[in-house]
Amino acid sequence: RWFTHFYVVSVLWNGCLLLWLFQAEFLGGSLPSWIQPVHRALGRDSQGEDTGNEHFSALLVLLLLWLHGCRRLAECLWTSVFSNGVIHIVQYCFGLVYYIAIGSTVLCQVPANIRNGKELSVHVSWYHIVGVAMYVWASLHQHRCLVILANLRKTKSGKVISLSHSVPFGDWFERVSCPHYFAELLIYVSMAIAFGFGNVTWWCVVMYILFNQALAAVLCHEFYQKNFSSYPKHRKAFIPFVF
C-alpha cells in the first residue's frame, strides 16, 4: 500500500514535466533552468541538429509514463487489496527519489536546443506506433493480473474477506508467477521502442527494471513454492518459458 505514495508523486511530478514540455514545444515556453546543467552532464549538444522526432518521442514517452502512473495510482486506490505489510524506510525514500528521477530522465532526452517557439513538426514513425501498441497491450494484461490478485481476497460482490495469500489463476498467471512484474518490464521496453530503439539512457532504465522486477519475481515465486505444495510446476518466475 505504500506504493500509493510513489504513484501520487509520479502523477504530480510527471504531470508538471509534461506541462512544461508541452508549453516549450507548442506555446513558446522554456524548460526549467535546472535542465541545462543536466543536459551538459549528459553530453547533449545544444548546437546539434534539431530533429522533430526526438522532441515528439520524448513528449510521447513522458505522456505514456504519466498515464502509467495514473493507472497504477487508480489501481492502488480502487482495485488492489493490500495486506498489512510494511516497507523499509530506505526503500521508501529510494522509491520517492526514483519516481522523480525517472520522469526527469525523459525530459533530459529532449535536445538542449529546444524549439524556442517554433512550431513542432510532428512526424509519427513506425516505432511510435509499435511502442504505443505494445504499451497498451502490456498495460491491459498488467491490469487484468492485478484484478485477479485482488479478487482472491474478495467475494463476487466486492467485499474483502481475507488478506491472506492464495494461488492465482488466469491470464498470464498460467505461465508465470508474477506476470504483473513481467508486464512492467514490457511497458518500459515499449517506451524504449517509442524512443526509436537508440536511446541508450532509457535502455539503462530498462535494464534496472529487468533486474529489479526479476529479483522481486524470484522471491515471490519461491514463496509460492514453499507455501503451496500443489503449486503448478510448469510456471516460471518472471518470463514465460524462460525464467
Side-chain angles (χ1 to χ4, degrees), residues 80-163:
S80 298
V81 179
F82 299 106
S83 64
N84 295 319
V86 296
I87 187 172
H88 195 282
I89 184 63
V90 174
Q91 185 183 6
Y92 181 78
C93 293
F94 176 82
L96 294 176
V97 173
Y98 168 80
Y99 280 95
I100 291 175
I102 198 69
S104 305
T105 300
V106 178
L107 192 64
C108 291
Q109 303 314 299
V110 179
N113 56 337
I114 194 67
R115 308 184 72 85
N116 296 321
K118 294 187 295 182
E119 183 180 355
L120 174 63
S121 179
V122 176
H123 300 287
V124 178
S125 299
W126 64 269
Y127 52 80
H128 295 139
I129 298 173
V130 172
V132 170
M134 183 175 179
Y135 172 88
V136 172
W137 175 66
S139 297
L140 286 173
H141 279 285
Q142 187 178 57
H143 177 72
R144 290 173 185 170
C145 291
L146 291 172
V147 169
I148 290 172
L149 287 175
N151 287 341
L152 293 175
R153 297 175 172 180
K154 298 179 182 178
T155 62
K156 291 184 178 180
S157 63
K159 181 181 178 180
V160 177
I161 56 174
S162 173
L163 295 181

Side-chain angles (χ1 to χ4, degrees), residues 147-219:
V147 169
I148 290 172
L149 287 175
N151 287 341
L152 293 175
R153 297 175 172 180
K154 298 179 182 178
T155 62
K156 291 184 178 180
S157 63
K159 181 181 178 180
V160 177
I161 56 174
S162 173
L163 295 181
S164 62
H165 292 84
S166 303
V167 178
F169 293 92
D171 205 79
W172 287 356
F173 279 110
E174 298 303 320
R175 295 298 177 186
V176 291
S177 295
C178 300
H180 46 308
Y181 295 159
F182 178 55
E184 185 80 1
L185 173 63
L186 294 181
I187 287 169
Y188 278 83
V189 170
S190 74
M191 295 180 194
I193 295 173
F195 263 129
F197 289 95
N199 192 300
V200 177
T201 302
W202 195 256
W203 280 113
C204 290
V205 173
V206 171
M207 291 304 296
Y208 166 77
I209 296 297
L210 170 62
F211 290 111
N212 177 274
Q213 298 296 288
L215 175 60
V218 167
L219 294 175

Side-chain angles (χ1 to χ4, degrees), residues 167 177 217-237:
V167 178
S177 295
V218 167
L219 294 175
C220 187
H221 185 67
E222 291 176 349
F223 172 85
Y224 280 129
Q225 292 179 322
K226 179 180 178 181
N227 290 277
F228 300 96
S229 58
S230 60
Y231 193 72
K233 302 295 184 182
H234 67 276
R235 288 190 191 180
K236 299 296 184 179

Side-chain angles (χ1 to χ4, degrees), residues 49-63:
E49 183 181 356
D50 183 14
T51 63
N53 267 20
E54 284 185 319
H55 291 264
F56 179 67
S57 295
L59 188 63
L60 176 61
V61 170
L62 192 53
L63 174 62

